Amino acid sequence: MSLSKNFTFEELTITDHRQFDNTPNASEMANLMRLAGFLEQVKEVLGGKPIMVNSAFRSKAVNDAVGSKDSSQHRMACAADIRVPGMTPDEVVKAVIASGIGYDQIIREFDRWTHISVPNTKDMTPRRQALIIDKSGTRQYV
């Protein structure tokens, strides 16, 4: 099922932990639709390059299985971990920040992928928080 022009329900809910149900409830589904729309904006900012989604929505069971916190925006269907062929995570972060689009968080994670999110509710103002997470810890992106 298409959620937007380029993003499907299946790719935003896929998990390697198939033994767990990863079906969003109604509010999570609404967030997933917002996230898909936002990823379209990211795709445009990146010149139409393909966006490969590693992980987006995670049910509690899936989130626990990957060792993430309950407060993760993935739990609410507001975040996606992405890779963009031909671009480094750092290049993705810089392009999104420079574009001025309303991201809530953007995180360069372990120089392997980019975490990007929308606010937890549609009426919240995006925080535009930019971070780096790696083996040295978490810090502001500069």
Short mmCIF file of all heavy atoms in Angstrom, two decimals, residues 17-84:
data_model
loop_
_atom_site.label_atom_id
_atom_site.label_comp_id
_atom_site.label_asym_id
_atom_site.label_seq_id
_atom_site.Cartn_x
_atom_site.Cartn_y
_atom_site.Cartn_z
N HIS A 17 12.84 -8.71 12.45
CA HIS A 17 12.24 -9.44 13.58
C HIS A 17 10.80 -9.81 13.23
O HIS A 17 9.85 -9.37 13.87
CB HIS A 17 12.32 -8.60 14.86
CG HIS A 17 13.73 -8.28 15.22
ND1 HIS A 17 14.53 -9.16 15.91
CD2 HIS A 17 14.50 -7.19 14.97
CE1 HIS A 17 15.72 -8.62 16.08
NE2 HIS A 17 15.73 -7.43 15.51
N ARG A 18 10.65 -10.64 12.21
CA ARG A 18 9.33 -10.99 11.67
C ARG A 18 8.48 -11.82 12.62
O ARG A 18 7.29 -11.99 12.40
CB ARG A 18 9.50 -11.69 10.33
CG ARG A 18 10.03 -10.75 9.27
CD ARG A 18 10.12 -11.41 7.91
NE ARG A 18 10.69 -10.49 6.95
CZ ARG A 18 11.97 -10.45 6.62
NH1 ARG A 18 12.83 -11.28 7.18
NH2 ARG A 18 12.41 -9.59 5.75
N GLN A 19 9.10 -12.34 13.68
CA GLN A 19 8.33 -13.11 14.65
C GLN A 19 7.41 -12.21 15.48
O GLN A 19 6.51 -12.69 16.16
CB GLN A 19 9.25 -13.94 15.56
CG GLN A 19 10.08 -13.15 16.56
CD GLN A 19 11.43 -12.68 16.03
OE1 GLN A 19 11.59 -12.41 14.86
NE2 GLN A 19 12.41 -12.57 16.92
N PHE A 20 7.63 -10.89 15.40
CA PHE A 20 6.82 -9.94 16.17
C PHE A 20 5.86 -9.19 15.24
O PHE A 20 6.22 -8.85 14.11
CB PHE A 20 7.70 -8.92 16.89
CG PHE A 20 8.67 -9.53 17.85
CD1 PHE A 20 10.04 -9.38 17.65
CD2 PHE A 20 8.24 -10.25 18.95
CE1 PHE A 20 10.95 -9.93 18.53
CE2 PHE A 20 9.14 -10.81 19.84
CZ PHE A 20 10.50 -10.65 19.62
N ASP A 21 4.67 -8.92 15.74
CA ASP A 21 3.71 -8.10 15.00
C ASP A 21 4.26 -6.67 14.94
O ASP A 21 4.66 -6.12 15.97
CB ASP A 21 2.34 -8.13 15.68
CG ASP A 21 1.30 -7.33 14.93
OD1 ASP A 21 1.43 -7.16 13.70
OD2 ASP A 21 0.35 -6.85 15.59
N ASN A 22 4.29 -6.09 13.78
CA ASN A 22 4.78 -4.72 13.63
C ASN A 22 3.74 -3.87 12.91
O ASN A 22 4.04 -3.10 12.02
CB ASN A 22 6.11 -4.71 12.86
CG ASN A 22 6.90 -3.44 13.11
OD1 ASN A 22 6.97 -2.97 14.24
ND2 ASN A 22 7.50 -2.90 12.08
N THR A 23 2.49 -4.02 13.33
CA THR A 23 1.38 -3.30 12.73
C THR A 23 1.06 -2.05 13.55
O THR A 23 0.79 -2.15 14.75
CB THR A 23 0.12 -4.20 12.68
OG1 THR A 23 0.46 -5.42 12.02
CG2 THR A 23 -1.01 -3.49 11.95
N PRO A 24 1.11 -0.88 12.93
CA PRO A 24 0.79 0.35 13.67
C PRO A 24 -0.70 0.46 13.98
O PRO A 24 -1.53 -0.02 13.22
CB PRO A 24 1.23 1.46 12.72
CG PRO A 24 1.31 0.85 11.37
CD PRO A 24 1.51 -0.61 11.55
N ASN A 25 -1.01 1.10 15.13
CA ASN A 25 -2.40 1.40 15.46
C ASN A 25 -2.81 2.66 14.68
O ASN A 25 -2.03 3.19 13.87
CB ASN A 25 -2.59 1.54 16.98
CG ASN A 25 -1.84 2.72 17.57
OD1 ASN A 25 -1.60 3.73 16.91
ND2 ASN A 25 -1.44 2.60 18.83
N ALA A 26 -4.00 3.16 14.93
CA ALA A 26 -4.53 4.28 14.14
C ALA A 26 -3.68 5.54 14.27
O ALA A 26 -3.37 6.20 13.26
CB ALA A 26 -5.98 4.57 14.53
N SER A 27 -3.28 5.91 15.48
CA SER A 27 -2.48 7.13 15.64
C SER A 27 -1.08 6.94 15.05
O SER A 27 -0.52 7.86 14.44
CB SER A 27 -2.41 7.58 17.10
OG SER A 27 -1.72 6.64 17.89
N GLU A 28 -0.53 5.74 15.20
CA GLU A 28 0.79 5.46 14.60
C GLU A 28 0.69 5.49 13.08
O GLU A 28 1.60 5.98 12.41
CB GLU A 28 1.31 4.11 15.10
CG GLU A 28 1.62 4.12 16.59
CD GLU A 28 1.69 2.74 17.22
OE1 GLU A 28 1.23 1.75 16.61
OE2 GLU A 28 2.19 2.66 18.37
N MET A 29 -0.41 5.01 12.55
CA MET A 29 -0.61 5.03 11.09
C MET A 29 -0.67 6.47 10.58
O MET A 29 -0.10 6.78 9.52
CB MET A 29 -1.88 4.27 10.74
CG MET A 29 -2.07 4.06 9.27
SD MET A 29 -0.76 3.01 8.60
CE MET A 29 -1.03 3.27 6.87
N ALA A 30 -1.36 7.34 11.31
CA ALA A 30 -1.41 8.75 10.92
C ALA A 30 0.00 9.36 10.92
O ALA A 30 0.36 10.11 10.00
CB ALA A 30 -2.34 9.52 11.86
N ASN A 31 0.79 9.01 11.92
CA ASN A 31 2.18 9.49 11.97
C ASN A 31 2.99 8.93 10.81
O ASN A 31 3.82 9.63 10.23
CB ASN A 31 2.84 9.12 13.30
CG ASN A 31 2.35 9.96 14.45
OD1 ASN A 31 1.80 11.04 14.26
ND2 ASN A 31 2.56 9.48 15.65
N LEU A 32 2.76 7.67 10.48
CA LEU A 32 3.49 7.04 9.38
C LEU A 32 3.20 7.76 8.06
O LEU A 32 4.09 7.94 7.23
CB LEU A 32 3.10 5.56 9.30
CG LEU A 32 4.12 4.61 8.69
CD1 LEU A 32 5.44 4.62 9.45
CD2 LEU A 32 3.56 3.21 8.65
N MET A 33 1.96 8.19 7.90
CA MET A 33 1.59 8.96 6.70
C MET A 33 2.35 10.30 6.68
O MET A 33 2.86 10.71 5.63
CB MET A 33 0.08 9.21 6.66
CG MET A 33 -0.76 7.96 6.62
SD MET A 33 -0.89 7.20 5.02
CE MET A 33 -1.78 8.41 4.11
N ARG A 34 2.41 10.97 7.85
CA ARG A 34 3.17 12.23 7.92
C ARG A 34 4.64 11.99 7.61
O ARG A 34 5.29 12.77 6.91
CB ARG A 34 3.06 12.87 9.31
CG ARG A 34 1.77 13.55 9.61
CD ARG A 34 1.79 14.41 10.87
NE ARG A 34 2.27 13.72 12.06
CZ ARG A 34 3.38 14.04 12.74
NH1 ARG A 34 4.14 15.04 12.35
NH2 ARG A 34 3.71 13.37 13.83
N LEU A 35 5.19 10.89 8.17
CA LEU A 35 6.59 10.57 7.93
C LEU A 35 6.86 10.31 6.45
O LEU A 35 7.84 10.80 5.89
CB LEU A 35 6.99 9.36 8.77
CG LEU A 35 8.44 8.89 8.63
CD1 LEU A 35 9.42 9.98 9.09
CD2 LEU A 35 8.66 7.60 9.42
N ALA A 36 5.97 9.58 5.79
CA ALA A 36 6.13 9.31 4.36
C ALA A 36 6.12 10.62 3.57
O ALA A 36 6.95 10.81 2.67
CB ALA A 36 5.03 8.38 3.87
N GLY A 37 5.22 11.52 3.91
CA GLY A 37 5.18 12.83 3.25
C GLY A 37 6.46 13.61 3.47
O GLY A 37 6.98 14.27 2.55
N PHE A 38 6.97 13.54 4.67
CA PHE A 38 8.22 14.23 4.98
C PHE A 38 9.40 13.61 4.22
O PHE A 38 10.26 14.33 3.70
CB PHE A 38 8.49 14.20 6.49
CG PHE A 38 9.77 14.88 6.87
CD1 PHE A 38 9.89 16.25 6.77
CD2 PHE A 38 10.86 14.14 7.28
CE1 PHE A 38 11.09 16.88 7.09
CE2 PHE A 38 12.05 14.76 7.61
CZ PHE A 38 12.16 16.14 7.51
N LEU A 39 9.43 12.29 4.12
CA LEU A 39 10.50 11.63 3.37
C LEU A 39 10.47 12.04 1.89
O LEU A 39 11.51 12.10 1.23
CB LEU A 39 10.42 10.12 3.52
CG LEU A 39 10.81 9.59 4.90
CD1 LEU A 39 10.52 8.09 5.01
CD2 LEU A 39 12.27 9.88 5.23
N GLU A 40 9.29 12.37 1.37
CA GLU A 40 9.19 12.91 0.01
C GLU A 40 9.94 14.24 -0.08
O GLU A 40 10.64 14.51 -1.07
CB GLU A 40 7.74 13.08 -0.42
CG GLU A 40 6.96 11.80 -0.57
CD GLU A 40 7.39 10.94 -1.75
OE1 GLU A 40 8.19 11.37 -2.62
OE2 GLU A 40 6.91 9.78 -1.79
N GLN A 41 9.80 15.07 0.94
CA GLN A 41 10.52 16.35 0.98
C GLN A 41 12.02 16.12 1.03
O GLN A 41 12.79 16.80 0.35
CB GLN A 41 10.10 17.18 2.19
CG GLN A 41 8.70 17.71 2.15
CD GLN A 41 8.39 18.48 3.43
OE1 GLN A 41 9.15 19.35 3.83
NE2 GLN A 41 7.28 18.15 4.07
N VAL A 42 12.44 15.15 1.84
CA VAL A 42 13.87 14.81 1.94
C VAL A 42 14.38 14.35 0.59
O VAL A 42 15.45 14.78 0.13
CB VAL A 42 14.11 13.74 3.04
CG1 VAL A 42 15.55 13.26 3.03
CG2 VAL A 42 13.73 14.27 4.42
N LYS A 43 13.62 13.50 -0.07
CA LYS A 43 14.00 13.00 -1.40
C LYS A 43 14.19 14.16 -2.37
O LYS A 43 15.16 14.20 -3.15
CB LYS A 43 12.94 12.02 -1.91
CG LYS A 43 13.28 11.35 -3.23
CD LYS A 43 12.23 10.31 -3.56
CE LYS A 43 12.51 9.64 -4.88
NZ LYS A 43 13.70 8.80 -4.87
N GLU A 44 13.29 15.13 -2.33
CA GLU A 44 13.39 16.31 -3.20
C GLU A 44 14.66 17.11 -2.89
O GLU A 44 15.39 17.51 -3.79
CB GLU A 44 12.14 17.18 -3.04
CG GLU A 44 12.07 18.31 -4.03
CD GLU A 44 10.75 19.06 -3.94
OE1 GLU A 44 9.70 18.41 -3.86
OE2 GLU A 44 10.81 20.30 -3.95
N VAL A 45 14.92 17.32 -1.60
CA VAL A 45 16.13 18.04 -1.16
C VAL A 45 17.39 17.34 -1.67
O VAL A 45 18.37 17.99 -2.02
CB VAL A 45 16.15 18.15 0.39
CG1 VAL A 45 17.54 18.48 0.92
CG2 VAL A 45 15.12 19.16 0.87
N LEU A 46 17.35 16.02 -1.73
CA LEU A 46 18.52 15.24 -2.15
C LEU A 46 18.55 15.01 -3.66
O LEU A 46 19.24 14.11 -4.15
CB LEU A 46 18.53 13.90 -1.41
CG LEU A 46 18.58 14.01 0.12
CD1 LEU A 46 18.55 12.64 0.76
CD2 LEU A 46 19.80 14.82 0.58
N GLY A 47 17.81 15.81 -4.39
CA GLY A 47 17.86 15.76 -5.84
C GLY A 47 17.19 14.55 -6.45
O GLY A 47 17.53 14.12 -7.56
N GLY A 48 16.23 13.96 -5.71
CA GLY A 48 15.48 12.82 -6.23
C GLY A 48 16.20 11.49 -6.08
O GLY A 48 15.74 10.48 -6.60
N LYS A 49 17.33 11.50 -5.38
CA LYS A 49 18.06 10.24 -5.18
C LYS A 49 17.20 9.24 -4.42
O LYS A 49 16.34 9.62 -3.62
CB LYS A 49 19.35 10.50 -4.38
CG LYS A 49 20.42 11.23 -5.16
CD LYS A 49 21.68 11.34 -4.33
CE LYS A 49 22.87 11.81 -5.12
NZ LYS A 49 22.78 13.08 -5.74
N PRO A 50 17.43 7.94 -4.64
CA PRO A 50 16.67 6.93 -3.89
C PRO A 50 16.99 7.00 -2.40
O PRO A 50 18.13 7.27 -2.02
CB PRO A 50 17.14 5.60 -4.48
CG PRO A 50 18.22 5.90 -5.44
CD PRO A 50 18.38 7.37 -5.57
N ILE A 51 15.99 6.77 -1.60
CA ILE A 51 16.15 6.69 -0.14
C ILE A 51 15.84 5.27 0.27
O ILE A 51 14.74 4.77 0.01
CB ILE A 51 15.23 7.69 0.58
CG1 ILE A 51 15.67 9.13 0.26
CG2 ILE A 51 15.22 7.44 2.08
CD1 ILE A 51 14.77 10.20 0.86
N MET A 52 16.81 4.63 0.87
CA MET A 52 16.65 3.26 1.35
C MET A 52 16.33 3.32 2.84
O MET A 52 17.11 3.87 3.62
CB MET A 52 17.94 2.46 1.14
CG MET A 52 18.54 2.60 -0.25
SD MET A 52 17.46 2.09 -1.58
CE MET A 52 17.44 0.35 -1.29
N VAL A 53 15.18 2.80 3.23
CA VAL A 53 14.75 2.84 4.63
C VAL A 53 15.23 1.56 5.33
O VAL A 53 14.83 0.46 4.96
CB VAL A 53 13.21 2.98 4.74
CG1 VAL A 53 12.77 2.97 6.20
CG2 VAL A 53 12.74 4.25 4.03
N ASN A 54 16.09 1.74 6.33
CA ASN A 54 16.55 0.61 7.15
C ASN A 54 15.49 0.24 8.18
O ASN A 54 15.27 -0.93 8.46
CB ASN A 54 17.82 0.95 7.93
CG ASN A 54 19.00 1.26 7.04
OD1 ASN A 54 19.03 0.91 5.88
ND2 ASN A 54 19.97 1.94 7.61
N SER A 55 14.89 1.26 8.77
CA SER A 55 13.92 1.06 9.84
C SER A 55 13.08 2.32 9.98
O SER A 55 13.62 3.42 9.93
CB SER A 55 14.67 0.78 11.16
OG SER A 55 13.78 0.62 12.23
N ALA A 56 11.79 2.14 10.15
CA ALA A 56 10.92 3.29 10.44
C ALA A 56 10.07 2.90 11.66
O ALA A 56 10.60 2.84 12.77
CB ALA A 56 10.10 3.68 9.23
N PHE A 57 8.78 2.57 11.45
CA PHE A 57 7.95 2.20 12.60
C PHE A 57 8.46 0.92 13.26
O PHE A 57 8.84 -0.03 12.59
CB PHE A 57 6.49 1.98 12.18
CG PHE A 57 5.65 1.42 13.29
CD1 PHE A 57 5.32 2.20 14.37
CD2 PHE A 57 5.23 0.10 13.26
CE1 PHE A 57 4.58 1.68 15.42
CE2 PHE A 57 4.49 -0.43 14.30
CZ PHE A 57 4.16 0.36 15.38
N ARG A 58 8.45 0.94 14.60
CA ARG A 58 8.78 -0.25 15.38
C ARG A 58 7.75 -0.43 16.48
O ARG A 58 7.58 0.45 17.33
CB ARG A 58 10.15 -0.11 16.05
CG ARG A 58 11.31 -0.02 15.12
CD ARG A 58 12.61 -0.01 15.93
NE ARG A 58 13.69 0.52 15.16
CZ ARG A 58 14.64 1.32 15.65
NH1 ARG A 58 14.62 1.67 16.93
NH2 ARG A 58 15.60 1.74 14.88
N SER A 59 7.07 -1.56 16.47
CA SER A 59 6.19 -1.91 17.59
C SER A 59 7.04 -2.05 18.84
O SER A 59 8.28 -2.13 18.76
CB SER A 59 5.46 -3.23 17.30
OG SER A 59 6.41 -4.29 17.29
N LYS A 60 6.41 -2.11 20.00
CA LYS A 60 7.17 -2.26 21.25
C LYS A 60 8.04 -3.51 21.20
O LYS A 60 9.21 -3.47 21.58
CB LYS A 60 6.23 -2.32 22.45
CG LYS A 60 6.99 -2.64 23.75
CD LYS A 60 6.45 -1.95 24.93
CE LYS A 60 7.16 -2.30 26.22
NZ LYS A 60 8.60 -2.07 26.24
N ALA A 61 7.49 -4.62 20.73
CA ALA A 61 8.26 -5.87 20.68
C ALA A 61 9.47 -5.75 19.76
O ALA A 61 10.57 -6.19 20.11
CB ALA A 61 7.36 -7.02 20.23
N VAL A 62 9.28 -5.14 18.59
CA VAL A 62 10.40 -4.96 17.66
C VAL A 62 11.41 -3.99 18.26
O VAL A 62 12.62 -4.23 18.21
CB VAL A 62 9.90 -4.47 16.28
CG1 VAL A 62 11.07 -4.04 15.40
CG2 VAL A 62 9.08 -5.56 15.60
N ASN A 63 10.94 -2.90 18.83
CA ASN A 63 11.83 -1.91 19.43
C ASN A 63 12.66 -2.54 20.55
O ASN A 63 13.87 -2.30 20.64
CB ASN A 63 11.01 -0.73 19.95
CG ASN A 63 11.83 0.51 20.10
OD1 ASN A 63 12.44 0.99 19.15
ND2 ASN A 63 11.86 1.05 21.31
N ASP A 64 12.01 -3.36 21.38
CA ASP A 64 12.74 -4.05 22.45
C ASP A 64 13.78 -5.01 21.86
O ASP A 64 14.90 -5.10 22.35
CB ASP A 64 11.78 -4.84 23.35
CG ASP A 64 10.91 -3.94 24.22
OD1 ASP A 64 11.17 -2.72 24.31
OD2 ASP A 64 9.95 -4.47 24.82
N ALA A 65 13.41 -5.69 20.78
CA ALA A 65 14.31 -6.67 20.16
C ALA A 65 15.57 -6.01 19.59
O ALA A 65 16.63 -6.63 19.59
CB ALA A 65 13.58 -7.44 19.07
N VAL A 66 15.45 -4.77 19.12
CA VAL A 66 16.63 -4.08 18.59
C VAL A 66 17.39 -3.33 19.67
O VAL A 66 18.42 -2.73 19.40
CB VAL A 66 16.29 -3.15 17.40
CG1 VAL A 66 15.67 -3.92 16.26
CG2 VAL A 66 15.43 -1.98 17.82
N GLY A 67 16.87 -3.36 20.90
CA GLY A 67 17.57 -2.75 22.02
C GLY A 67 17.42 -1.24 22.12
O GLY A 67 18.26 -0.56 22.71
N SER A 68 16.34 -0.71 21.57
CA SER A 68 16.12 0.73 21.61
C SER A 68 15.24 1.11 22.79
O SER A 68 14.53 0.28 23.36
CB SER A 68 15.47 1.18 20.30
OG SER A 68 15.45 2.58 20.21
N LYS A 69 15.26 2.39 23.14
CA LYS A 69 14.48 2.92 24.26
C LYS A 69 13.01 3.06 23.88
O LYS A 69 12.68 3.33 22.72
CB LYS A 69 15.01 4.29 24.69
CG LYS A 69 16.43 4.27 25.19
CD LYS A 69 16.89 5.68 25.51
CE LYS A 69 18.33 5.68 25.96
NZ LYS A 69 18.82 7.04 26.17
N ASP A 70 12.12 2.94 24.87
CA ASP A 70 10.68 3.13 24.63
C ASP A 70 10.37 4.54 24.14
O ASP A 70 9.36 4.77 23.48
CB ASP A 70 9.88 2.85 25.89
CG ASP A 70 9.67 1.37 26.13
OD1 ASP A 70 9.76 0.57 25.16
OD2 ASP A 70 9.41 0.99 27.29
N SER A 71 11.24 5.50 24.45
CA SER A 71 11.02 6.89 24.04
C SER A 71 11.43 7.16 22.58
O SER A 71 11.24 8.27 22.09
CB SER A 71 11.79 7.83 24.97
OG SER A 71 13.18 7.55 24.92
N SER A 72 11.94 6.15 21.90
CA SER A 72 12.36 6.31 20.51
C SER A 72 11.19 6.79 19.64
O SER A 72 10.07 6.29 19.75
CB SER A 72 12.87 4.98 19.96
OG SER A 72 13.03 5.06 18.56
N GLN A 73 11.47 7.73 18.77
CA GLN A 73 10.43 8.21 17.86
C GLN A 73 10.01 7.13 16.86
O GLN A 73 8.94 7.23 16.27
CB GLN A 73 10.90 9.47 17.14
CG GLN A 73 10.91 10.69 18.05
CD GLN A 73 11.31 11.94 17.30
OE1 GLN A 73 12.42 12.05 16.83
NE2 GLN A 73 10.37 12.86 17.17
N HIS A 74 10.81 6.09 16.70
CA HIS A 74 10.40 4.96 15.86
C HIS A 74 9.14 4.31 16.43
O HIS A 74 8.31 3.81 15.68
CB HIS A 74 11.52 3.90 15.80
CG HIS A 74 12.70 4.32 15.01
ND1 HIS A 74 12.78 4.22 13.64
CD2 HIS A 74 13.90 4.85 15.40
CE1 HIS A 74 13.95 4.66 13.23
NE2 HIS A 74 14.65 5.05 14.28
N ARG A 75 8.99 4.32 17.74
CA ARG A 75 7.83 3.71 18.40
C ARG A 75 6.53 4.40 18.01
O ARG A 75 5.48 3.79 17.99
CB ARG A 75 7.99 3.76 19.93
CG ARG A 75 8.93 2.74 20.49
CD ARG A 75 8.31 1.36 20.54
NE ARG A 75 7.14 1.34 21.38
CZ ARG A 75 5.90 1.11 20.95
NH1 ARG A 75 5.65 0.86 19.70
NH2 ARG A 75 4.89 1.11 21.79
N MET A 76 6.59 5.69 17.73
CA MET A 76 5.40 6.47 17.39
C MET A 76 5.23 6.62 15.88
O MET A 76 4.35 7.34 15.43
CB MET A 76 5.49 7.84 18.05
CG MET A 76 5.44 7.78 19.55
SD MET A 76 5.86 9.36 20.29
CE MET A 76 7.63 9.15 20.45
N ALA A 77 6.11 5.97 15.11
CA ALA A 77 6.09 6.06 13.64
C ALA A 77 6.46 7.46 13.15
O ALA A 77 5.97 7.91 12.12
CB ALA A 77 4.75 5.62 13.07
N CYS A 78 7.33 8.12 13.89
CA CYS A 78 7.76 9.47 13.53
C CYS A 78 9.20 9.54 13.04
O CYS A 78 9.69 10.63 12.76
CB CYS A 78 7.58 10.41 14.73
SG CYS A 78 5.86 10.72 15.15
N ALA A 79 9.91 8.40 12.96
CA ALA A 79 11.32 8.41 12.59
C ALA A 79 11.65 7.32 11.60
O ALA A 79 11.01 6.26 11.57
CB ALA A 79 12.19 8.25 13.83
N ALA A 80 12.68 7.59 10.81
CA ALA A 80 13.20 6.59 9.87
C ALA A 80 14.73 6.66 9.89
O ALA A 80 15.31 7.74 10.00
CB ALA A 80 12.69 6.86 8.46
N ASP A 81 15.34 5.50 9.81
CA ASP A 81 16.77 5.40 9.60
C ASP A 81 16.96 5.12 8.11
O ASP A 81 16.39 4.17 7.58
CB ASP A 81 17.38 4.26 10.42
CG ASP A 81 17.30 4.53 11.92
OD1 ASP A 81 17.19 5.71 12.32
OD2 ASP A 81 17.37 3.56 12.69
N ILE A 82 17.73 5.99 7.45
CA ILE A 82 17.84 5.92 5.99
C ILE A 82 19.30 5.87 5.53
O ILE A 82 20.20 6.31 6.23
CB ILE A 82 17.12 7.10 5.31
CG1 ILE A 82 17.78 8.45 5.70
CG2 ILE A 82 15.64 7.10 5.65
CD1 ILE A 82 17.27 9.65 4.91
N ARG A 83 19.47 5.34 4.33
CA ARG A 83 20.72 5.40 3.59
C ARG A 83 20.38 5.93 2.20
O ARG A 83 19.31 5.64 1.67
CB ARG A 83 21.36 4.02 3.46
CG ARG A 83 21.91 3.47 4.76
CD ARG A 83 22.43 2.04 4.62
NE ARG A 83 21.35 1.11 4.30
CZ ARG A 83 21.16 0.51 3.13
NH1 ARG A 83 21.99 0.69 2.14
NH2 ARG A 83 20.14 -0.31 2.94
N VAL A 84 21.30 6.70 1.65
CA VAL A 84 21.10 7.26 0.32
C VAL A 84 22.30 6.85 -0.53
O VAL A 84 23.41 7.32 -0.30
CB VAL A 84 20.96 8.80 0.38
CG1 VAL A 84 20.75 9.37 -1.03
CG2 VAL A 84 19.81 9.19 1.30
#
